[in-house]
Amino acid sequence: MIFAKLNSDPQFRSCPKPVRQALRYLREADLLAMPLGRHDIQGDDIFLNLMEMTTHPLEGSHPEVHEKYIDLMYWPEGGERIGVAPYLGTEPVFEARPENDIALLEEVANESFLVATEGCFGLFFPWDAHRPGLFLGDGPATSRKAVVKIRAALLDG
């Protein structure tokens, strides 16, 4: 997992090319004016899902993992709290949707929480269980969120 501010570009020169390509796209696109929905960056290998999301409580939520794609989440406005934990592959699955490359887990051990605010991004690999969309404060808030899906196989040397 990587968690940082998008404007801290120089330190990401050592990231793999597909990650740099996605970060460059996020910096250059006008995400507040762009219509919601899917936007192809490199076909099914790298694409953006732009959404308006409303945060929710921890109770009743489930951590998620992906096998084929890396999630690069970015908040051009608003934010959320995100749970994150190492995915060991032994956690009980609550619901699997392989056609959408997602498995929701019952629970994870050693979960930590990140506070993502405007300008932050998080890069979640297949070994990172993550629980996005949690309340930042006492109640729900709506914000614009960009999720770039990067095919994990692109990082194979």
Side-chain angles (χ1 to χ4, degrees), residues 8-91:
S8 51
D9 177 52
Q11 64 184 337
F12 300 112
R13 290 186 183 139
S14 61
C15 285
K17 183 179 178 181
V19 173
R20 290 192 322 268
Q21 181 179 355
L23 291 170
R24 183 173 41 257
Y25 182 90
L26 291 173
R27 276 193 310 275
E28 294 172 359
D30 186 353
L31 298 172
L32 297 178
M34 188 180 288
L36 302 178
R38 178 179 165 144
H39 301 271
D40 287 348
I41 299 170
Q42 189 178 312
D44 287 337
D45 285 338
I46 306 173
F47 59 93
L48 165 69
N49 286 324
L50 188 60
M51 62 191 79
E52 295 285 336
M53 54 85 58
T54 302
T55 58
H56 52 80
L58 177 67
E59 298 76 28
S61 68
H62 296 275
E64 63 185 54
V65 291
H66 310 285
E67 182 179 335
K68 297 177 185 173
Y69 285 93
I70 297 162
D71 275 356
L72 172 52
M73 298 181 190
Y74 172 65
W75 297 266
E77 68 177 11
E80 64 191 66
R81 202 165 51 104
I82 303 168
V84 64
Y87 175 57
L88 306 175
T90 56
E91 296 84 351

